[in-house]
Amino acid sequence: MYAQMVKTDSDRVKSLAEMNPQERDFQERVDRGEKIEPKEWMPEAYRKTLIRQIGQHAHSEIVGQLPEGNWITRAPTLERKAILLAKVQDEAGHGLYLYCAAETLGVSRDELLALLHSGKMKYSSIFNYPTLNWADIGAVGWLVDGAAIMNQVQLQKTSYGPYSRAMVRICKEESFHQRQGYDIMMKMAFGTPAQKAMAQDALNRFWYPALMMFGPSDKDSVHSAQSMAWKIKINTNDELRQKFVDQTVPQARYLGLTIPDPDLKWNEEKAGHDFTEPDWSEFFDVIAGNGPCNRERMNARVKAWEDGAWFRDGLVAHAEKVADRRAAARVAAE
Amino acid sequence: MAALADTAAGRAALLEFLLRTGDNTLILGHRVSEWCGHSPVLEEDIALANTALDLIGQTQLWLGLAGEVEGQGRTADNLAYLRDAAEFRNVLLVERPNGDFGQTLMRQFLFDAWHFELLKALQGSTDPRVAEIAAKAIKEVSYHLERSADLVVRLGDGTAESHRRMQNALDELWSYTGELFVGDDADEALADAGVAPSPASLKPAWDAAVARVLGEATLAIPSSGYVHKGGKRGVHTEHLGYILAEMQFLQRAYPGATW
Amino acid sequence: MSSEWPLWEVFIRGQHGLNHRHVGSLHAPDAELAIKHARDVYTRRNEGVSIWVVKSNDISASSPSDKGPLFEPSNSKVYRHPTFFEIPEEVGHM
């Protein structure tokens, strides 16, 4: 998931009886499945939480361009290069849609980017891992997009109108991403021994980071409960993680690859797999800035932004000049 | 006229032309794709990726046809990934490093203005396969040119800094534009057969378009008439070797694998 | 300087001659570039044949609190919908 551990500013979820009439009206609308639209009244905590969540999601899309972009110039065929480029371009588009959704809540894209660049806002932990061989590009599509889609499909039903509409558009475009990833994995897993080894290596390195994408268990988290009451979170982290494991195990088996978890096994009773939890201390290290690529990712984003300032400013200056000239021409004509 | 492809020399000239055209789009597409994820603003990142995608698509067509004309069973991928630098036929302009965003846009504009004239002429090629590819590509390249010309004007006539950067870019790249118009025997044979225009014939229209846009951009055309050349006959700058080392790595390291 | 590019709303008419439909927004320094950006951002999958852009600030919107007075009266005017009228089967399709 591209938004992890989003705080809600709540210490507990209020019951309807405890709410003032405005809050109650709002909560009842959410409960009925109505969409909340930009200029309508909403609790301040709902607005702030959404900005954090959508912002984090958007940041994840654009930082997420970097690990895959790392292989665009080394893609092994012209077709693979085009597919990968189109895919990474889609991530930029998704970031753009999400920033626009966040902007309807009264924050600008530049403000959100400034928060990302200063480290005050986070992006998904997964993008701090490196892509070391070509099969990693397959694994990212298969596992990382696979995990993200699991959450995003649900979020199409979220209570906030602009977020929901962005998700609908994103899900429509995402459908090719996971498939292209699996397609690369098939070529690698069924290819030469060297290719198969790369595929296994990629799975070994991305399996636990992919499980971490869902975030630590939040079944007792007040933030999670509040977000679910607001319908900006639809499932618990554990539910989605379980679903992801159950979906992925047969896909790995088909590829003839081994999931790096000796304790992974089918549990008839719960009709799902038992599996080993990721190392959460590693997760918190990555979140704290100590993942393998945190520095590179942030440096790349900040550099792109700073190096591009003259370009953005130049275009604004030109647009102003043209507007002034047009105005002057109108005056002269009158 | 149809005799060109019937002689070995004619086929060699056609092959040379197709490699030149396809290598130009391949190398420029590669350079442009390096920006993905690093552009100054999201909208521009997306737009530039579209340009790169168009160029890669055109490469598949030109090099695909080159392989067909060569008749030795080589595919577009074989040609892109398994030739060494001396066998590449792109002009030096497209292998110039990206530099700042202004240099990338200026390179794109100078190339687009030429590319557009070339494709316009190629639509009337006596070789229907060439004409067909040109007809598809010119739709894409018209938009590339519209976009790059527009941005050159805006940035040239923007802030003092954007003006300075665009003028620097122009000064840096100008001496690499002349190669676009230098012809050789192969070019002459193709022009005689009506397959492709002679390079020199594209110059007046290019000059006019470039003068108009740069004038509007308040940029000064450099006075130096020096022409760097060599790419069209396989003598490149040091940059191409690095581009190929990166681009061809997997195909070279794991020969015979399918991807 | 570093002033943020203004926000634009994008409307696209698809292949089938339907009305322009709001598809999303983007940033651009002026209208001409907003149209170019819209082409690159919102028609990557061959979605459109015509683009409108309008500065977000220039859109006047109905106020959410007026939702009742503005839209509820039409709820009671069911005769505006064709299914309100019963046409005898013998008459055929109408």
Side-chain angles (χ1 to χ4, degrees):
Chain A
M1 270 150 47
Y2 290 170
Q4 295 161 324
M5 301 174 59
V6 178
K7 293 212 165 58
T8 58
D9 297 339
S10 306
D11 43 19
R12 65 192 183 83
V13 181
K14 281 192 203 169
S15 70
L16 282 175
E18 294 170 280
M19 294 177 182
N20 69 34
Q22 211 169 19
E23 290 171 337
R24 193 177 315 128
D25 180 52
F26 173 86
Q27 188 60 51
E28 282 169 352
R29 289 184 58 202
V30 170
D31 292 344
R32 280 197 300 272
E34 281 183 36
K35 295 277 183 252
I36 307 301
E37 294 298 337
K39 290 184 177 152
E40 296 172 346
W41 186 87
M42 58 187 79
E44 188 55 17
Y46 174 84
R47 193 181 69 83
K48 282 191 175 152
T49 305
L50 267 176
I51 289 175
R52 278 195 283 265
Q53 177 169 333
I54 302 173
Q56 201 184 112
H57 196 155
H59 297 330
S60 297
E61 297 282 356
I62 64 165
V63 177
Q65 288 185 271
L66 300 170
E68 289 180 280
N70 183 36
W71 280 88
I72 289 173
T73 54
R74 288 179 289 172
T77 67
L78 293 169
E79 189 179 64
R80 287 285 177 210
K81 195 210 281 274
I83 292 170
L84 181 58
L85 182 55
K87 191 204 167 213
V88 181
Q89 180 197 40
D90 272 351
E91 315 291 2
H94 298 170
L96 188 150
Y97 308 154
L98 287 160
Y99 284 121
C100 288
E103 283 182 275
T104 63
L105 293 159
V107 62
S108 79
R109 185 162 91 190
D110 285 9
E111 284 166 348
L112 289 170
L113 288 173
L115 290 168
L116 170 69
H117 296 158
S118 66
K120 291 200 183 86
M121 280 184 89
K122 302 283 184 211
Y123 54 89
S124 177
S125 54
I126 191 74
F127 300 119
N128 291 312
Y129 289 87
T131 51
L132 301 177
N133 78 49
W134 172 250
D136 286 16
I137 298 306
V140 168
W142 173 37
L143 301 174
V144 175
D145 289 307
I149 290 167
M150 208 137 256
N151 182 43
Q152 288 171 342
V153 166
Q154 297 299 318
L155 278 176
Q156 293 180 94
K157 293 182 288 199
T158 188
S159 61
Y160 188 56
Y163 193 22
S164 156
R165 289 190 284 276
M167 276 301 141
V168 169
R169 197 175 180 91
I170 288 172
C171 285
K172 214 160 71 182
E173 298 185 354
E174 280 281 344
S175 56
F176 106 81
H177 293 185
Q178 194 187 9
R179 282 162 175 256
Q180 69 88 32
Y182 198 70
D183 187 56
I184 291 175
M185 290 310 283
M186 287 197 289
K187 281 281 187 314
M188 298 300 279
F190 303 143
T192 64
Q195 284 176 302
K196 182 162 187 185
M198 284 188 253
Q200 183 62 54
D201 176 45
L203 176 57
N204 290 349
R205 281 180 290 104
F206 274 96
W207 175 252
Y208 286 107
L211 294 188
M212 289 179 207
M213 285 176 72
F214 299 96
S217 177
D218 60 352
K219 58 182 192 297
D220 305 318
S221 156
V222 63
H223 300 304
S224 179
Q226 178 62 75
S227 289
M228 288 172 88
W230 282 333
K231 290 196 186 156
I232 58 179
K233 184 179 171 85
I234 312 292
N235 305 89
T236 67
N237 296 348
D238 292 323
E239 282 166 3
L240 288 172
R241 191 172 10 251
Q242 182 69 50
K243 205 170 151 196
F244 174 76
V245 171
D246 293 339
Q247 174 189 290
T248 308
V249 168
Q251 295 167 351
R253 193 178 305 129
Y254 178 81
L255 295 172
L257 299 178
T258 308
I259 290 175
D261 179 359
D263 297 326
L264 181 84
K265 61 173 187 301
W266 179 254
N267 179 336
E268 194 60 53
E269 212 168 299
K270 73 170 184 185
H273 291 85
D274 289 331
F275 59 93
T276 306
E277 286 275 313
D279 174 359
W280 291 111
S281 67
E282 176 181 320
F283 172 79
F284 288 110
D285 277 341
V286 173
I287 293 284
N290 293 317
C293 297
N294 293 58
R295 261 168 249 272
E296 282 93 336
R297 302 294 184 242
M298 282 313 296
N299 288 347
R301 285 310 320 161
V302 170
K303 183 176 182 337
W305 185 249
E306 288 177 353
D307 288 356
W310 72 269
F311 170 84
R312 297 188 301 273
D313 291 348
L315 294 187
V316 170
H318 181 81
E320 282 166 0
K321 278 186 196 178
V322 170
D324 289 350
R325 283 174 206 154
R326 279 180 193 157
R330 260 199 307 277
V331 171
E334 275 162 16
Chain B
M1 281 212 310
L4 183 88
D6 296 340
T7 66
R11 269 197 305 278
L14 180 56
L15 175 60
E16 185 74 10
F17 168 76
L18 293 169
L19 291 176
R20 287 170 177 176
T21 314
D23 287 346
N24 280 336
T25 54
L26 172 63
I27 301 302
L28 186 60
H30 182 93
R31 277 293 192 218
V32 175
S33 77
E34 291 173 11
W35 277 104
C36 188
H38 303 274
S39 305
V41 68
L42 275 176
E43 284 80 0
E44 197 56 42
D45 209 66
I46 293 167
L48 215 50
N50 278 341
T51 299
L53 284 169
D54 288 342
L55 292 169
I56 296 166
Q58 292 168 20
T59 303
Q60 289 173 300
L61 299 174
W62 290 123
L63 293 187
L65 182 54
E68 214 176 282
V69 167
E70 188 190 43
Q72 291 176 16
R74 289 207 281 184
T75 63
D77 279 336
N78 293 156
L79 289 169
Y81 290 90
L82 299 174
R83 279 178 302 153
D84 204 348
E87 298 164 273
F88 271 73
R89 293 289 181 266
N90 58 283
V91 293
L92 302 181
L93 177 68
V94 296
E95 66 195 54
R96 300 304 301 158
N98 284 342
D100 67 8
F101 207 66
Q103 192 161 319
T104 292
L105 290 173
M106 183 59 79
R107 182 186 62 200
Q108 190 69 39
F109 166 65
L110 295 170
F111 181 82
D112 289 343
W114 170 82
H115 201 194
F116 177 77
E117 295 302 329
L118 173 72
L119 293 171
K120 202 161 76 176
L122 288 180
Q123 288 183 101
S125 171
T126 50
D127 187 324
R129 299 168 299 181
V130 171
E132 195 186 323
I133 296 174
K136 179 182 182 297
I138 197 166
K139 294 195 194 102
E140 298 166 346
V141 171
S142 304
Y143 184 70
H144 298 176
L145 177 58
E146 189 188 319
R147 228 182 70 80
S148 61
D150 182 48
L151 287 172
V152 165
V153 168
R154 286 166 181 269
L155 293 166
D157 184 21
T159 59
E161 183 181 7
S162 71
H163 177 85
R164 177 180 62 74
R165 285 175 182 266
M166 295 314 282
Q167 185 65 55
N168 282 351
L170 182 59
D171 295 347
E172 188 77 21
L173 294 167
W174 187 252
S175 56
Y176 292 94
T177 57
E179 190 182 12
L180 295 165
F181 308 104
V182 176
D184 60 11
D185 292 349
D187 288 314
E188 204 176 313
L190 291 165
D192 288 347
V195 172
S198 86
S201 71
L202 303 175
K203 190 141 195 313
W206 183 85
D207 278 339
V210 166
R212 183 181 56 73
V213 169
L214 295 180
E216 217 185 313
T218 71
L219 297 171
I221 293 181
S223 52
S224 159
Y226 187 77
V227 177
H228 284 290
K229 52 185 181 292
K232 281 181 73 169
R233 53 189 168 82
V235 182
H236 291 273
T237 63
E238 290 178 348
H239 302 290
L240 186 68
Y242 290 95
I243 292 176
L244 298 184
E246 194 169 333
M247 186 172 86
Q248 298 180 338
F249 155 66
L250 283 169
Q251 291 269 1
R252 299 288 193 180
Y254 303 96
T258 50
W259 303 94
Chain C
M1 187 162 66
S2 282
S3 42
E4 184 161 5
W5 291 358
L7 191 65
W8 300 77
E9 300 301 324
V10 180
F11 301 81
I12 288 183
R13 181 150 57 75
Q15 310 281 355
H16 309 295
L18 297 176
N19 290 333
H20 283 77
R21 198 169 66 84
H22 183 242
V23 295
S25 14
L26 48 74
H27 288 270
D30 63 18
E32 288 81 4
L33 260 184
I35 288 181
K36 285 205 174 77
H37 287 163
R39 180 261 188 204
D40 281 314
V41 172
Y42 287 107
T43 69
R44 300 202 302 287
R45 286 173 171 78
N46 202 13
E47 291 98 331
V49 294
S50 165
I51 299 171
W52 287 348
V53 294
V54 57
K55 237 187 216 171
S56 307
N57 280 340
D58 291 342
I59 291 190
S60 310
S62 59
S63 149
S65 57
D66 290 344
K67 201 147 91 181
L70 277 182
F71 305 116
E72 271 166 32
S74 67
N75 285 347
S76 58
K77 296 180 181 62
V78 285
Y79 45 79
R80 286 206 169 110
H81 299 276
T83 46
F84 175 76
F85 304 96
E86 274 188 40
I87 303 292
E89 245 176 61
E90 304 90 279
V91 177
H93 178 73
M94 186 176 283

